[in-house]
């Protein structure tokens, strides 16, 4: 199971994007599930071990405030354009945890291109 975290300012737009990514993964024949920050915190991810991909959405402060350290491990993090200015802070924390991260392309995010974001996330997890 691969676990991808998509973060934005408050969690609303990352939720929409995460839903699109899950839909695209399912179109490609993957078993996928959308989860929330609480699912990472309380380690509810284990209940979805039969899935190929778990996409978690949430606010970027779950990374920058170091809360992610106590959560279930994710394989990669994608940062939405509206919080691009916080990327360096998130990257520092994630490097300590050895979790790769990237910014999401603004155009792909704005157009809600779940297919492109899925490809980006999978590539990041496979590097």
């Amino acid at each position: 199971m691969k676990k991808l975290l998509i973060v934005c300012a408050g969690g609303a737009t990352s939720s929409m994007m995460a839903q699109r990514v899950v839909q695209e993964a399912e179109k490609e024949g993957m078993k996928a599930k959308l989860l929330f920050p609480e699912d990472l915190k309380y380690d509810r991810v284990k209940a979805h071990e039969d899935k190929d991909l778990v996409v978690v959405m949430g606010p970027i402060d779950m990374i920058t405030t170091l809360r992610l350290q106590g959560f279930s491990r994710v394989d990669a993090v994608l940062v939405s354009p509206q919080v691009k200015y916080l990327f360096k802070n998130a990257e520092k924390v994630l490097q300590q945890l050895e979790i790769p991260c990237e910014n999401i392309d603004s155009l792909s995010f704005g157009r809600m291109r779940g297919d492109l974001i899925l490809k980006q996330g999978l590539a990041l997890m496979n590097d």
Side-chain angles (χ1 to χ4, degrees):
M1 166 189 14
K2 303 269 186 183
K3 294 171 278 197
L4 175 64
L5 173 61
I6 299 175
V7 295
C8 68
T13 56
S14 63
S15 174
M16 290 187 290
M17 178 52 72
Q19 288 173 19
R20 296 284 174 102
V21 170
V22 167
Q23 290 169 354
E24 290 298 327
E26 289 174 341
K27 283 182 188 176
E28 292 189 17
M30 297 174 153
K31 291 180 185 176
K33 180 74 176 170
L34 173 64
L35 295 178
F36 303 93
E38 295 78 23
D39 296 314
L40 285 179
K41 181 177 181 180
Y42 297 110
D43 203 19
R44 295 182 194 136
V45 177
K46 289 180 184 177
H48 304 286
E49 288 181 345
D50 63 323
K51 304 292 188 263
D52 300 308
L53 178 68
V54 170
V55 181
V56 183
M57 53 65 61
I60 195 166
D61 73 348
M62 66 188 285
I63 297 169
T64 56
T65 59
L66 301 175
R67 288 189 330 195
L68 190 62
Q69 289 181 346
F71 290 4
S72 295
R73 184 169 171 81
V74 296
D75 298 304
V77 176
L78 293 176
V79 178
S80 66
Q82 63 267 49
V83 290
K84 189 176 186 175
Y85 67 96
L86 293 172
F87 180 80
K88 289 292 181 193
N89 294 341
E91 185 179 42
K92 282 181 194 174
V93 172
L94 293 168
Q95 281 178 342
Q96 292 171 7
L97 298 171
E98 298 179 351
I99 299 172
C101 64
E102 287 183 353
N103 282 308
I104 299 174
D105 174 66
S106 298
L107 193 55
S108 297
F109 194 88
R111 291 183 176 171
M112 286 287 149
R113 293 288 309 267
D115 58 329
L116 297 177
I117 307 308
L118 172 63
K119 287 178 187 172
Q120 182 183 7
L122 292 175
L124 186 59
M125 289 185 273
N126 290 328
D127 281 346

